[in-house]
Amino acid sequence: MRLHSSRLFTLILLLVAMLAPLALAQDDATETPAEDVVVISFGDQTMSLAEFDERFLLTARNIAAQQGMELTDDMFDQLISLRPTYLDQLATELVLLTEADARGLTFSDEEVDTQLQTIIDGFESREEYEQLLDEAGFTNEDQLRRLIRENETIRLIVTDIEANLEISEEDVQAYYDANEANFQQPEQACTRHILLETEEDANDVISELDGGADFAALAEERSTGPSGPRGGDLGCLTPGQTVPAFNDAAFSAEIDEVVGPVETQFGFHVILVYERSDATVAPLEQVEENIRQQLRGEVLDEAIQSLRDDAGVEIFAESLGELTLPESEVMEDMGEGEMEDTDGESDMEDSEDSEGSMDESTDMSEEGAAEEDSMTDDTMESSDEGMEDTTEESDSTDEDSDTEGESEDGDTEGESDSP
């Protein structure tokens, strides 16, 4: 399966849950049939508990399928707590679909066909596509067509609403002034170092530097750290990013002053700060676009909430009752045909936290965690190669900065306790 189309298919499945004739195990104590219990109501439209549970179960199965797993009782129990949140989200989607219809916004049959064909083309064979469709809980392709239409119609109405949103310069300025603390950029010390195993070696290096030797050249020749080939360059550090002894030395040194030996648990450092910048607030022009996007999101949320209010939406979460997993269906459908490689790097606990959309959360693997002598307090096992990026992105240094990792010899400079 080609992964990019697989991702597209997965995204479509999760954005809007589709009706599917699935067997539900409903609590026997409910006297009123689920088909007659109303959980969403606005205008002349209603949604029954039975219809809602069908949608919810289908979405739950999609989440499980993305991870290549059966929808087990344990997994379902974790998702079941999201039913009220999902109910509220679904009410919003129904309001948006109704508003799109009122505005004459439609997604044509031809456009649905094109979108569907794009999905199908992402699979090696028609059989693979149909297997995935079955595992995701669809009984026929028409259900997927309806899902595509609903999803794209919601996209159209949201785009239409956004087109009428205006964020003024005054709005941007007011947000910037009220949130100045969010735009603080800490001071930086752009630093080179030479890491030696013994204090004697470090003093020898200092003597050579005092005699006129080039720091970068000596770092390449003598440093035992991975930054040696780069002339010992660690990039621009922010306070607290390195272990205390190194941090204190770097942020008290004068520009181009050789400092050391500085002992840490990783060895003896000879340090040179070649550039420094004071703490400052990012100028408005640098963050204006981010502010504008933030404000547009807030105004969009308000506009959608206004549509809900005008529609007189009522949701009845207290009527949801109990819902258990229909074991026979899940085991039959998911037992042998677990979905392969559909960007399934999310974990189930993250799905509990994503209360707005039940979207999967991607596990962020910490690559670069196995290099030698990492110095950062925030990312102990990150490679020091990322440090070079910190000159331009001061407030992302914890993620992108060079932090010297763990060497084959066992030297580690990183998020460890100070000596």
Side-chain angles (χ1 to χ4, degrees):
M1 182 192 311
R2 285 177 287 225
L3 188 55
H4 69 282
S5 295
S6 174
R7 285 197 180 114
L8 173 63
F9 183 68
T10 298
L11 178 60
I12 291 175
L13 292 180
L14 283 175
L15 286 175
V16 185
M18 187 68 184
L19 289 174
L22 302 173
L24 298 178
Q26 197 68 40
D27 184 65
D28 293 337
T30 303
E31 296 182 3
T32 305
E35 292 79 4
D36 298 332
V37 175
V38 173
V39 292
I40 300 175
S41 174
F42 65 96
D44 59 354
Q45 298 193 46
T46 61
M47 175 174 285
S48 71
L49 176 60
E51 182 180 353
F52 169 76
D53 281 343
E54 286 172 350
R55 288 177 178 258
F56 181 84
L57 182 56
L58 179 58
T59 301
R61 294 186 65 186
N62 287 333
I63 291 174
Q66 285 190 75
Q67 300 179 73
M69 301 170 62
E70 294 178 1
L71 181 57
T72 63
D73 287 335
D74 287 343
M75 184 184 297
F76 193 68
D77 286 345
Q78 294 181 56
L79 290 173
I80 205 71
S81 64
L82 295 176
R83 286 172 81 209
T85 299
Y86 182 63
L87 178 66
D88 186 75
Q89 174 190 324
L90 188 55
T92 299
E93 292 172 353
L94 294 177
V95 169
L96 288 173
L97 289 170
T98 301
E99 181 66 17
D101 185 60
R103 298 189 187 191
L105 299 173
T106 60
F107 199 68
S108 69
D109 291 341
E110 291 76 14
E111 290 171 314
V112 172
D113 290 341
T114 299
Q115 184 105 316
L116 179 61
Q117 191 59 51
T118 299
I119 294 171
I120 294 173
D121 289 344
F123 295 88
E124 296 296 337
S125 66
R126 178 77 186 189
E127 291 74 18
E128 184 181 22
Y129 157 72
E130 291 177 349
Q131 177 184 343
L132 184 59
L133 200 66
D134 179 66
E135 290 170 358
F138 295 96
T139 58
N140 58 64
E141 195 172 72
D142 286 341
Q143 291 178 335
L144 179 56
R145 289 178 182 275
R146 289 187 59 187
L147 172 59
I148 293 172
R149 191 185 306 278
E150 286 188 3
N151 176 50
E152 291 301 316
T153 301
I154 289 175
R155 183 184 61 78
L156 289 174
I157 182 60
V158 169
T159 300
D160 195 60
I161 294 172
E162 286 181 320
N164 297 308
L165 300 181
E166 292 187 5
I167 306 298
S168 68
E169 295 298 326
E170 291 76 13
D171 294 332
V172 173
Q173 183 68 57
Y175 184 93
Y176 178 79
D177 293 340
N179 296 274
E180 184 176 297
N182 295 337
F183 307 116
Q184 294 277 352
Q185 295 179 333
E187 66 173 311
Q188 294 182 328
C190 304
T191 309
R192 296 180 186 272
H193 84 135
I194 302 173
L195 179 64
L196 290 309
E197 293 182 357
T198 68
E199 186 174 9
E200 181 180 0
D201 289 341
N203 284 321
D204 288 344
V205 165
I206 292 173
S207 296
E208 292 186 57
L209 292 170
D210 290 342
D214 180 73
F215 194 100
L218 268 183
E220 290 184 32
E221 178 185 344
R222 301 286 299 275
S223 182
T224 62
S227 62
R230 299 194 308 276
D233 196 353
L234 298 175
C236 296
L237 309 175
T238 56
Q241 187 180 341
T242 62
V243 293
F246 192 101
N247 181 85
D248 293 345
F251 283 92
S252 62
E254 299 292 333
I255 300 297
D256 293 330
E257 173 191 5
V258 175
V259 177
V262 175
E263 183 180 7
T264 71
Q265 62 267 48
F266 313 113
F268 293 85
H269 308 262
V270 178
I271 300 170
L272 177 72
V273 175
Y274 59 86
E275 184 179 334
R276 187 186 301 283
S277 60
D278 295 330
T280 186
V281 177
L284 176 60
E285 55 269 22
Q286 181 177 324
V287 296
E288 180 176 0
E289 186 55 36
N290 289 338
I291 293 175
R292 195 173 295 278
Q293 290 178 6
Q294 171 72 21
L295 292 176
R296 288 182 69 85
E298 292 177 2
V299 175
L300 176 62
D301 289 344
E302 292 171 2
I304 292 174
Q305 183 60 49
S306 179
L307 289 176
R308 277 189 56 143
D309 294 342
D310 292 344
V313 172
E314 293 183 272
I315 58 175
F316 306 96
E318 69 276 6
S319 299
L320 292 180
E322 298 293 328
L323 179 65
T324 56
L325 188 63
E327 264 183 59
S328 58
E329 279 228 15
V330 172
M331 297 304 293
E332 177 182 347
D333 291 346
M334 301 291 293
E336 295 294 328
E338 294 177 1
M339 185 181 299
E340 298 177 2
D341 197 14
T342 55
D343 214 14
E345 297 172 32
S346 68
D347 60 45
M348 186 53 52
E349 291 182 1
D350 283 344
S351 69
E352 288 186 73
D353 296 331
S354 58
E355 291 192 350
S357 63
M358 294 183 66
D359 286 338
E360 66 177 343
S361 298
T362 304
D363 289 334
M364 302 302 294
S365 60
E366 295 185 1
E367 298 180 358
E371 297 191 15
E372 61 184 63
D373 65 338
S374 170
M375 297 177 49
T376 176
D377 276 339
D378 292 324
T379 49
M380 175 178 181
E381 296 176 345
S382 301
S383 163
D384 72 344
E385 296 174 0
M387 281 283 209
E388 297 166 348
D389 297 333
T390 61
T391 302
E392 298 179 2
E393 296 291 339
S394 65
D395 47 355
S396 66
T397 54
D398 285 348
E399 294 175 349
D400 298 328
S401 65
D402 167 351
T403 59
E404 300 196 311
E406 186 172 334
S407 72
E408 296 176 359
D409 297 328
D411 291 337
T412 309
E413 289 190 306
E415 185 197 351
S416 55
D417 294 334
S418 58

